[in-house]
């Protein structure tokens, strides 16, 4: 150990002798690592699996049970109420929930000013399927069409000033609802169940209400609602339930590959039945998209971040090459010292230990620089691409990855030049 | 062809001033072989460098072929060096990334000679120093004597009128030193004026004229020829 | 000095040269593509919209109580709001619309010529339902027909007349030159107006396919837009009064945003803008890194080659020649790197265009970027090269 400290001191001394080349090496390495890491933060977060335990069991079924004819077209990305009902009858999934997002205004009494709230209109299984933590109360009963809501903790706090508000009532667009549950802090990132456009990048809803109630009260989807016949979307409760008004996302939980197989079969039979009943004019095209692939399926992947992943990787490579180049120059200027040490009888292992000390120092400096630049990079990216801002936080795994990256880069930067300087046949081989 | 009048050179560093040359008067005629001797630090190299226009001077004047070099711009001086002067250094000073051939070619390129002419001159220079077979070697692949011969070839390839040699045999053993000396004598016979710094009395004796420098001052052991009798 | 000798020297330093070349090539590839992207964004932001971007204001809002979102309170509310807006000094005209302009998505429907449903159907045409002042606010030119008003009576199918932009009319009825009175699935063509940018579309050129119907508002589900045109240069002074005026008319509203159309356009392309900015920053960093590397490599080089430079000076190379020699080493590497870089740029261009929309390379951009690269390298080499030629040849050639 003491020996190693001595090596560290030697490293520091040689840095002090020529501080500019060393500083430039560190600068370049830090910039490369920092820029790479800033983007990697978003890349890692955006591609992370929010439900690692069950993401392989959740699927979005889509069919072409629509009153239009087309060849080679994909089924609509949202389902009609009647299609969801038909799909819900399979009995195969262990959980299933249809849903859409909407918006409204909430207040406690008619005297208060209404505050805007985002709504998720969904079914009972939603909470279990996406592992939503419930702080107080419970979920509504199956198929409920009552004026019941679950609210997030933040909404409860902002409306009531406290969290345990089960049994209280609120006015949602001036209709009285009773609060039957309060969600604990919950942020599923990315919100894959809402993949459509770039919704999966945004925050979750404030208030959750039953699907039937949403339809009864004529809450329209504020994301995507398409009418394939002359259904009047203002008549959601009646025409909207029967007609080809598509606005629902639908998720099923299929626990085993066998279940998934059976569900595919079920969808196929359903489509065939519908076709023979004349309600499926287009060629059959069923899709059962796993939740992990849904963003790609809809073509909504964050291309900018992916583009940057490539670009920043290249940048890192360039910086690395550059740093090697700089370090090579630095080592070669110290070449005399190296040959002297070798002449004085330093063994290979001693020189290697010296190199290790160099690596360690470089790791520390470049890591510090990289963290600073990465932080600035994240701030900058949040400002320039604000839609990804929920995905900008660092966790332990990320930090460790950065440390590893800094270590590896420092090792590479140090290894080649010092090998050349310490083991090369000196003057002859060193053409520089 | 070389005339120095009252030439002085002072090196100034932050702390000290070194009078490397004081009031030097010198006249060298075409075809002379001048040996410069003197103790270490007496100003021999400085004198040679000034003659080669590698270094400026503080006082006096230096006429080369009757023209003062004082105040000439860098480009003129470079041209002058390139066309009239050849250098031979104690440490050879070959460019180590260049082959023998490329080393010799360098001054010819600076002069802007055509490829054919360059080739001819390099060939004859190589022949003179007897290293035709090694043309593609790198300097590091040659012995010291061979390297110095390459340096001589490089210096004379441009057919300079003056050859300045600073201890050309200082790094060589006696056999090799003799070869180099013979080469220089041969070059001198072809009409090239040579000024050579040496520590070896034998070598000095073989020169047509001996000049000793002590403490920056010249002591010409041959007769001092007055300016009036300068020959063209 | 000759090119062949320079090349020899450069090739001699294999590893260093390879490092430099790879780096220069990647830098050029990035530089090229980020200029490409910046250029595209610039063009998108400067494409003609047919709108008075600076003098038109959008207010996106929604009543917060259910009654206000329904007939008849809604119609009354909008009328009061428009009247109040029109009374603000410097407001030329104000109108409501079910949706804003220069947006991504909105309230759309398909349109077709009832006589040729199959061949003329156009999906996802923005359907603006507005008050009659809409056309005055946008300051569009009426090319055919007469602009509708609220008092127009619906036809026997309950349809009111539709106003089409010129490009939409031509797309729906390619054979016709006179469009007024032709029947569409949603009603007869009432008038044709000059093109304006409605919604951003996947296929460029479709942004100006817009249809407008003048209908009193029934209900709003996603909010609505108040649009007003101000006199030249007065948008900001008008904007300051908007919130107060609207609050005075009706406090139970939520104003999502107030923007000029110019801001709306920037918002629409903010992603491209952000991406282009980030790439530009990255490119600047990359150039910096390249400059550092050119600088330090020349600097180091010069230290190492003091003796060599001195010898060359002794052999008759002038300071200017040595300087040129040092710079040309950088130039040769840069040019070689640039040639490699164009190849890299093509590859990068292809891989990038799989994830973002990016135009393909053209012929002059490689030249421009190579010039930029050359300039940076020259700048970075200048100082160490200038130092190098100050080397005294006398000192440099001295025996050790
Ligand atoms: N570049 C220089 N700066 C300062 N002093 C110098 C420099 N070059 C030579 N000198 C001094 O000038 C004197 C003459 O040096 P030099 O001509 O090299 O001697 P010689 O070649 O006879 O051994 C010495 O005292 C030396 O220290
Ligand atoms: Mg000397």
């Amino acid at each position: 150990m003491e020996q190693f400290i001595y090596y560290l001191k030697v490293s520091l001394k040689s840095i002090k002798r020529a501080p500019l080349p060393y500083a430039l090496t560190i600068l370049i390495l830090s910039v490369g690592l920092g820029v790479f890491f800033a983007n990697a933060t978003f890349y890692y977060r955006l591609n992370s699996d929010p439900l690692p335990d069950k993401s392989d069991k959740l699927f979005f079924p889509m069919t072409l049970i629509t009153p239009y004819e087309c060849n080679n077209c994909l089924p609509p990305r949202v389902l009609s109420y009647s299609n969801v009902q038909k799909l819900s009858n399979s009995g195969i999934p262990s959980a299933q929930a249809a849903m859409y997002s909407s918006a409204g205004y909430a207040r406690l009494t008619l005297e208060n000013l209404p505050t805007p709230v985002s709504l998720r209109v969904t079914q009972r299984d939603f909470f279990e399927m996406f592992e939503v933590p419930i702080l107080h109360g419970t979920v509504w009963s199956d198929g409920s069409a009552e004026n019941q809501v679950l609210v997030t903790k933040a909404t409860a706090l902002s409306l009531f000033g406290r969290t345990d508000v089960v049994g209280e009532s609120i006015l949602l667009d001036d209709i009285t609802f009773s609060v039957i549950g309060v969600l604990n802090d919950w942020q599923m990132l990315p919100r894959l169940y809402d993949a459509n456009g770039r919704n999966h990048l945004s925050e979750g809803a404030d208030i959750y209400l039953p699907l039937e109630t949403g339809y009864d009260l004529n809450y329209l989807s504020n994301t995507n609602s398409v009418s394939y016949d002359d259904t009047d979307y203002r008549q959601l409760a009646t025409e909207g339930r029967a007609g080809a008004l598509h606005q629902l996302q639908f998720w099923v939980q299929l626990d085993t590959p066998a279940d998934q197989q059976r569900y595919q079969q079920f969808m196929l039979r359903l489509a065939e039945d519908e076709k023979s009943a004349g309600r499926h004019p287009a060629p059959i095209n069923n899709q059962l998209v796993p939740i992990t692939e849904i963003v790609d399926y809809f073509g909504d992947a964050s291309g900018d971040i992916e583009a940057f992943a490539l670009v920043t990787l290249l940048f890192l490579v360039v910086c690395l090459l550059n740093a090697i180049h700089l370090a090579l120059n630095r080592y070669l200027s110290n070449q005399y010292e190296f040959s002297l040490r070798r002449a004085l009888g330093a063994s290979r292992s001693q020189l290697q230990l010296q190199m290790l000390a160099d690596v360690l120092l470089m790791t520390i400096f470049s890591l510090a620089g990289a963290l600073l630049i990465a932080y600035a990079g994240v701030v900058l990216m949040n400002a320039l691409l604000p839609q990804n801002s929920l995905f900008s936080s660092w966790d332990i795994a990320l930090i460790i990855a950065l440390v590893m990256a800094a270590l590896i880069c420092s090792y590479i930067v140090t290894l080649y030049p010092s090998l050349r300087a310490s083991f090369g046949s000196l003057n002859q081989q060193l053409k520089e | 062809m070389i005339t120095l009048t009252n030439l002085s050179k002072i090196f100034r560093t932050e702390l000290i001033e070194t009078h490397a040359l004081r009031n030097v008067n010198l006249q060298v005629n075409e075809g002379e072989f001048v040996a410069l001797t003197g103790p270490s630090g007496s100003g021999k190299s400085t004198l040679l460098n000034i003659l080669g226009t590698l270094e400026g001077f503080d006082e006096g004047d230096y006429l080369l072929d009757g023209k003062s070099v004082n105040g000439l711009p860098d480009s003129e001086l470079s041209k002058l060096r390139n066309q009239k002067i050849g250098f031979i250094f104690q440490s050879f000073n070959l460019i180590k990334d260049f082959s023998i051939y490329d080393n010799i070619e360098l001054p010819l390129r600076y002069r802007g000679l055509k490829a054919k002419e360059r080739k001819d001159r390099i060939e004859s220079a190589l022949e003179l120093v007897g290293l035709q077979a090694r043309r593609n070697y790198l300097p590091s692949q040659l012995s010291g004597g061979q390297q110095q011969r390459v340096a001589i070839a490089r210096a004379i390839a441009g057919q300079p009128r003056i050859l300045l040699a600073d201890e050309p045999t200082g790094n060589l053993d006696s056999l090799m030193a003799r070869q180099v000396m013979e080469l220089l004598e041969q070059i001198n016979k072809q009409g090239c004026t040579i000024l050579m710094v040496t520590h070896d009395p034998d070598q000095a004796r073989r020169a047509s004229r001996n000049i000793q420098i002590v403490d920056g001052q010249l002591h010409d052991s041959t007769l001092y020829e007055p300016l009036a009798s300068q020959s063209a | 000095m000759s090119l062949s000798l320079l090349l020899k020297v450069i090739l001699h330093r294999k590893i260093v040269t390879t490092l430099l070349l790879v780096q220069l090539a990647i830098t050029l590839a990035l530089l090229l593509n980020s200029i490409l992207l910046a250029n595209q964004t610039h063009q998108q932001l400067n494409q003609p919209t047919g709108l008075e971007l600076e003098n038109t204001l959008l207010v996106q809002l929604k009543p917060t109580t259910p009654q206000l979102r329904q007939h008849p309170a809604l119609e009354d509310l909008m009328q009061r709001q428009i009247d109040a807006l029109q009374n603000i000094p410097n407001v030329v005209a104000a109108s409501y619309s079910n949706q804003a302009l220069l947006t991504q998505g909105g309230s759309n429907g398909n349109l077709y010529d009832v006589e040729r449903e199959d061949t003329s159907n156009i999906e996802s045409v923005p359907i603006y339902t507005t008050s009659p002042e809409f056309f005055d606010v946008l300051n569009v030119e009426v090319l055919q027909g007469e602009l509708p008003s609220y008092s127009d009576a619906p036809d026997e199918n309950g349809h009111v007349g539709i106003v089409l932009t010129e490009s939409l009319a031509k797309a729906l009825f390619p054979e016709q030159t006179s469009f007024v009175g032709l029947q569409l699935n949603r009603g007869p063509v009432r008038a044709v107006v000059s093109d304006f940018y409605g919604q951003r579309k996947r296929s460029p050129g479709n942004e100006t396919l817009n249809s407008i119907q003048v209908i009193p508002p029934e209900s709003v589900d996603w909010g609505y837009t108040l649009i007003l045109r101000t006199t030249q240069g007065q948008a900001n002074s008008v904007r300051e009064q908007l919130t107060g005026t609207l609050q005075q008319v009706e406090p139970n509203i939520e104003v999502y945003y107030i923007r000029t159309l110019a801001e709306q356009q920037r918002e629409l392309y903010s992603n491209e803008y952000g991406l282009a900015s980030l790439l530009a920053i990255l490119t600047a960093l990359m150039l910096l890194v390249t400059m550092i590397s050119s600088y330090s490599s020349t600097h180091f080089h010069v230290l190492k080659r003091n003796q060599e430079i001195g010898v060359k000076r002794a052999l008759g190379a002038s300071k200017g020649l040595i300087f040129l020699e040092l710079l040309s080493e950088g130039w040769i590497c840069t040019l070689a790197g640039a040639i490699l870089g164009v190849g890299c740029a093509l590859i990068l261009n292809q891989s990038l265009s799989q994830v973002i929309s990016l135009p393909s390379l053209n012929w002059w951009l490689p030249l421009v970027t190579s010039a930029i690269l050359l300039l940076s390298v020259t700048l970075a080499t200048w100082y160490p090269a200038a130092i190098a030629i100050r080397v005294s040849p006398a000192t440099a050639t001295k025996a050790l």
Side-chain angles (χ1 to χ4, degrees):
Chain A
M1 192 62 221
E2 193 208 324
Q3 188 63 12
F4 195 67
I5 288 171
Y6 164 77
Y7 285 127
L8 280 179
K9 276 187 190 153
V10 171
S11 300
L12 271 175
K13 222 182 254 169
S14 87
I15 292 168
K16 267 190 207 148
R17 195 156 354 130
L20 186 68
Y22 194 79
L24 288 178
T25 315
I26 295 290
L27 174 72
I28 285 179
L29 208 53
S30 304
V31 168
L33 278 169
V35 167
F36 178 74
F37 188 63
N39 187 71
T41 304
F42 291 95
Y43 189 81
Y44 163 81
R45 293 258 141 188
L46 283 166
N47 290 302
S48 65
D49 185 346
L51 297 166
D53 297 336
K54 55 174 12 169
S55 58
D56 55 334
K57 297 173 186 155
L58 300 177
F59 296 87
F60 192 145
M62 287 171 249
T63 75
L64 259 171
I65 308 177
T66 46
Y68 65 87
E69 245 177 294
C70 71
N71 285 315
N72 299 325
C73 56
L74 287 170
R77 0 166 113 200
V78 273
L79 277 59
S80 69
Y81 183 90
S82 59
N83 284 357
V84 165
Q85 277 195 318
K86 286 168 191 161
L87 287 168
S88 296
N89 288 333
S90 71
I92 303 167
S94 57
Q96 56 189 2
M99 63 197 75
Y100 63 97
S101 59
S102 189
Y105 294 90
R107 50 179 155 178
L108 293 186
T109 67
L110 286 170
E111 283 74 54
N112 301 115
L113 268 182
T115 45
V117 285
S118 57
L119 306 177
R120 177 136 295 257
V121 186
T122 184
Q123 291 175 308
R124 177 192 165 81
D125 284 356
F126 173 86
F127 300 93
E128 185 223 307
M129 198 154 35
F130 296 109
E131 297 175 351
V132 187
I134 310 265
L135 183 63
H136 302 293
T138 53
V139 176
W140 57 80
S141 58
D142 212 6
S144 162
E146 289 175 55
N147 290 355
Q148 296 174 327
V149 291
L150 282 88
V151 300
T152 61
K153 197 168 149 186
T155 309
L157 283 171
S158 82
L159 287 174
F160 296 95
R162 60 199 164 87
T163 60
D164 191 359
V165 293
V166 173
E168 299 283 349
S169 52
I170 61 169
L171 290 172
L172 190 57
D173 291 312
D174 295 350
I175 292 170
T176 307
F177 279 75
S178 68
V179 179
I180 59 164
V182 178
L183 310 190
N184 208 342
D185 291 323
W186 176 58
Q187 200 176 43
M188 176 171 156
L189 284 178
R191 265 180 338 109
L192 293 180
Y193 61 82
D194 200 15
N196 199 338
R198 290 193 165 181
N199 281 352
H200 61 290
L201 305 178
S202 61
E203 268 182 284
D206 302 317
I207 293 181
Y208 297 78
L209 62 151
L211 187 74
E212 304 304 331
T213 315
Y215 264 72
D216 286 347
L217 296 178
N218 220 42
Y219 274 109
L220 274 169
S221 164
N222 60 2
T223 306
N224 199 350
S225 69
V226 192
S227 198
Y228 293 105
D229 52 15
D230 43 19
T231 304
D232 181 357
Y233 64 82
R234 293 187 183 88
Q235 309 297 320
L236 204 55
T238 49
E239 289 183 37
R241 280 190 162 106
L245 175 73
H246 287 237
Q247 64 167 6
L248 293 171
Q249 297 153 321
F250 186 49
W251 290 98
V252 294
Q253 181 174 340
L254 301 166
D255 292 317
T256 62
D259 283 350
Q260 291 152 24
Q261 204 77 48
R262 279 169 61 212
Y263 200 81
Q264 295 267 23
Q265 288 299 322
F266 160 76
M267 285 174 74
L268 182 61
R269 251 179 294 118
L270 177 65
E272 281 165 357
D273 289 352
E274 291 288 315
K275 201 166 185 45
S276 47
R279 291 190 293 264
H280 194 312
I284 290 174
N285 184 349
N286 293 330
Q287 298 288 338
L288 190 62
V289 184
I291 196 165
T292 47
E293 288 165 26
I294 192 73
V295 174
D296 278 336
Y297 175 81
F298 285 147
D300 294 328
S302 300
D304 34 20
I305 295 296
E306 275 174 38
F308 262 114
L310 180 67
V311 167
T312 54
L313 187 66
L314 283 179
F315 184 58
L316 179 60
V317 170
V318 166
C319 288
L320 205 57
L321 292 179
N322 228 307
I324 293 176
H325 188 177
L326 278 174
L328 186 63
N329 288 351
R330 203 175 74 84
Y331 270 90
L332 292 181
S333 351
N334 289 348
Q335 180 202 122
Y336 170 74
E337 183 190 314
F338 268 94
S339 33
L340 191 69
R341 256 193 240 149
R342 270 175 84 202
L344 291 178
S347 70
R348 257 164 196 254
S349 68
Q350 280 167 327
L351 286 177
Q352 273 162 358
L353 212 58
Q354 178 64 60
M355 198 192 98
L356 221 60
D358 290 356
V359 169
L360 194 69
L361 274 181
M362 185 168 280
T363 307
I364 290 170
F365 291 135
S366 56
L367 187 63
L371 278 172
L372 259 154
I373 287 164
Y375 182 76
V378 166
V379 170
L380 187 77
M381 286 179 81
N382 275 340
L384 289 174
L385 300 172
Q387 58 185 1
N388 296 329
S389 58
L390 285 179
F391 296 82
S392 62
S393 58
W394 289 344
D395 61 11
I396 286 295
L398 259 178
I399 302 271
I400 290 177
L402 175 66
V403 173
M404 291 312 292
L407 192 68
I408 291 169
C409 287
S410 304
Y411 185 73
I412 295 173
V413 166
T414 317
L415 178 72
Y416 171 69
S418 62
L419 277 186
R420 247 185 100 166
S422 56
F423 300 123
S425 74
L426 288 170
N427 276 322
Q428 186 41 42
Q429 196 193 329
L430 303 170
K431 295 304 177 197
E432 238 331 63
Chain B
M1 70 182 311
I2 290 172
T3 312
L4 303 182
T5 39
N6 292 325
L7 187 133
S8 296
K9 171 77 186 175
I10 306 170
F11 288 109
R12 289 188 182 83
T13 57
E14 281 155 39
L15 295 175
I16 43 163
E17 286 193 354
T18 312
H19 288 258
L21 293 175
R22 307 164 198 262
N23 279 320
V24 170
N25 288 292
L26 176 66
Q27 164 85 28
V28 179
N29 295 323
E30 184 106 49
E32 282 194 89
F33 192 147
V34 182
L36 290 164
T37 52
S40 186
S42 56
K44 304 181 296 291
S45 296
T46 306
L47 178 63
L48 230 49
N49 285 336
I50 288 173
L51 289 176
T53 74
L54 293 184
E55 203 141 41
F57 45 88
D58 299 288
E59 277 164 37
D61 203 3
Y62 168 19
L63 302 182
L64 183 63
D65 283 338
K67 273 190 248 138
S68 171
V69 303
N70 211 356
L72 285 184
D74 175 70
S75 55
E76 287 295 315
L77 290 178
S78 303
K79 207 162 140 193
L80 206 140
R81 275 200 294 276
N82 183 246
Q83 296 183 349
K84 296 193 174 168
I85 301 167
F87 285 95
I88 303 170
F89 306 96
Q90 179 181 350
S91 51
F92 322 138
N93 275 331
L94 297 177
I95 293 173
K96 56 181 195 286
D97 290 348
F98 285 9
S99 68
I100 303 314
Y101 190 93
D102 291 341
N103 261 289
I104 301 174
E105 190 180 29
L106 200 56
L108 305 179
R109 278 189 184 270
Y110 288 145
R111 196 182 292 189
L113 295 183
K114 294 244 154 42
K116 172 82 176 58
E117 167 131 42
R118 290 202 305 262
K119 194 166 181 312
D120 291 346
R121 292 203 187 190
I122 298 166
E123 290 302 338
S124 58
L126 277 172
E127 197 186 319
L128 182 73
V129 299
L131 286 170
Q132 298 101 310
R134 308 275 157 99
R135 73 185 69 210
N136 291 323
Y137 281 41
L138 285 174
S140 54
Q141 293 165 318
L142 300 182
S143 76
Q146 286 170 326
Q147 287 193 41
Q148 193 60 302
R149 269 149 59 199
V150 173
I152 292 170
R154 183 175 67 180
I156 60 150
Q159 293 167 354
R161 311 233 324 272
I162 305 165
L163 197 59
L164 302 173
D166 195 346
E167 301 186 40
T169 59
N171 283 357
L172 303 177
D173 62 33
S174 57
L175 177 71
M176 286 184 176
R178 218 176 51 233
Q179 287 178 356
V180 166
M181 263 317 283
E182 276 159 13
L183 209 51
L184 288 179
E185 277 167 357
Q186 194 184 336
I187 291 164
N188 178 243
K189 284 212 187 78
Q190 288 166 8
C192 184
T193 312
I194 297 182
L195 280 95
M196 176 182 78
V197 173
T198 182
H199 286 296
D200 183 344
D202 286 339
Q203 283 180 13
R205 229 169 287 128
R206 287 163 77 167
S208 62
R209 178 174 166 194
N210 272 266
I211 296 178
Q212 210 190 4
I213 308 184
V214 178
D215 232 0
Q217 287 178 312
L218 255 60
H219 299 273
D220 203 335
S221 53
T222 55
L223 279 173
Y224 175 72
E225 290 171 67
L227 276 172
S229 72
Q230 166 187 347
S231 61
Chain C
M1 177 152 88
S2 80
L3 197 66
S4 62
L5 271 184
L6 267 181
L7 279 178
K8 247 186 220 174
V9 173
I10 291 167
L11 290 179
H12 208 94
R13 295 180 259 129
K14 284 189 206 74
I15 288 161
V16 171
T17 305
T18 313
L19 287 181
L20 199 66
L21 284 190
V22 171
Q23 173 188 331
L24 284 167
I26 298 178
T27 305
L28 187 94
L30 276 183
L31 186 62
L32 244 169
N33 282 288
S34 67
I35 290 180
L36 218 50
L37 192 67
N39 194 30
Q40 172 184 264
T41 309
H42 182 77
Q43 275 173 3
Q44 282 166 338
L45 283 176
N46 285 290
Q47 104 189 64
T49 57
L51 297 164
E52 292 190 24
L53 295 176
E54 301 294 343
N55 299 327
T56 313
L57 283 161
L58 294 175
V59 185
Q60 188 67 26
L61 74 167
K62 188 175 174 183
T64 55
T65 60
Q67 312 88 280
L68 283 174
R69 296 200 287 265
Q70 304 285 339
H71 183 77
L74 176 64
E75 198 180 341
D76 172 59
L77 169 65
M78 284 187 186
Q79 199 51 58
R80 282 186 291 134
Q81 285 171 328
I82 289 175
D83 291 345
L85 294 182
Q86 260 159 352
N87 282 334
I88 298 178
N90 292 317
V91 171
V92 179
S95 148
Y96 92 85
S97 166
N98 64 333
Q99 55 186 318
L101 301 150
L102 292 157
T103 55
Q104 183 97 50
S107 193
N108 297 351
N110 61 333
L111 277 180
Y112 54 85
D113 175 358
V114 286
E115 304 196 336
R116 305 175 300 118
E117 174 173 352
D118 304 348
T119 51
S120 65
N121 187 37
I122 301 180
E123 299 280 345
S124 280
V125 178
I127 298 181
Y128 288 88
T129 57
T130 70
S131 55
E133 301 85 8
F134 184 72
F135 306 97
D136 188 14
V137 174
L138 297 197
N139 210 7
V140 286
E141 198 184 332
V142 183
L143 303 173
Q144 287 182 19
E146 257 174 67
L147 293 176
S149 68
Y150 279 151
S151 51
D152 285 5
D155 67 7
E156 65 272 18
N157 298 324
H159 290 142
V160 297
I162 303 176
V163 179
L164 306 178
T165 54
E166 191 184 3
S167 54
L168 178 58
K170 284 183 177 157
L172 284 167
F173 306 103
E175 319 269 76
Q176 312 280 343
T177 51
S178 165
F179 306 104
V180 175
L182 297 173
Q183 281 292 332
L184 292 166
N185 53 324
R186 292 174 194 269
V189 178
R190 174 71 195 247
V192 177
V193 296
S194 57
D195 282 342
F196 63 90
Y197 192 122
Q199 295 174 6
R200 192 172 172 184
K201 295 289 181 190
R202 272 185 200 219
S203 43
N206 287 353
E207 297 89 353
T208 53
L209 305 183
N210 296 307
S211 70
I212 307 104
Q213 283 179 300
V214 171
I215 308 175
E218 271 286 316
S219 69
V220 290
D221 305 285
W222 300 285
Y224 59 92
T225 314
L226 295 171
I227 311 182
L228 41 135
R229 180 158 62 91
T230 70
T231 51
Q232 188 67 35
Q234 294 303 313
N236 273 327
S237 71
V238 170
R239 182 211 305 249
E240 280 162 20
Q241 302 168 55
L242 285 179
T243 316
T245 307
L246 290 172
Q247 284 292 336
Q248 227 166 4
V249 173
E250 174 55 63
N252 282 319
I253 53 167
E254 181 190 4
V255 176
Y256 294 123
Y257 62 78
I258 301 175
R259 290 180 194 143
T260 65
L261 283 182
E263 290 163 350
Q264 178 81 349
Q265 191 193 25
R266 244 167 282 148
E267 188 70 28
L268 185 60
Y269 289 103
S270 63
N271 208 42
E272 280 79 3
Y273 181 78
L275 200 62
S277 311
L278 279 179
L279 261 182
I281 292 170
L282 201 65
T283 307
L285 280 177
M286 207 139 210
L287 278 180
L288 178 78
V289 166
T290 305
M291 285 175 78
I292 291 180
S293 104
S294 306
Y295 166 82
S296 65
S297 131
T298 312
H299 178 74
F300 173 78
H301 219 67
V302 157
L303 287 183
K304 277 273 143 188
R305 300 201 306 183
N306 241 336
Q307 175 250 7
E308 182 182 320
I309 291 170
V311 174
K312 285 179 175 169
R313 299 271 289 123
L315 294 180
S318 66
K319 285 186 180 182
L321 193 62
I322 299 278
F323 190 69
L324 200 67
E325 223 175 72
L326 286 170
L327 286 188
S328 0
E329 278 188 34
W331 290 337
I332 289 175
C333 285
T334 308
L335 284 180
I339 291 166
L340 275 179
V342 173
C344 290
L346 277 171
I347 298 171
L348 185 65
N349 186 262
Q350 268 161 17
S351 9
L352 282 182
S353 56
Q354 286 174 2
V355 280
I356 54 174
S357 88
L358 192 69
S360 48
L361 287 183
N362 53 27
W363 63 268
W364 52 266
L365 212 50
L367 298 181
V368 172
T369 45
S370 303
I372 295 176
L373 203 59
L374 211 59
L375 187 72
S376 329
V377 169
T378 309
L379 274 180
T381 322
W382 201 275
Y383 178 70
I387 298 281
I389 58 169
R390 276 192 232 148
V391 161
S392 146
T395 319
T397 52
K398 236 181 212 150
L400 287 171

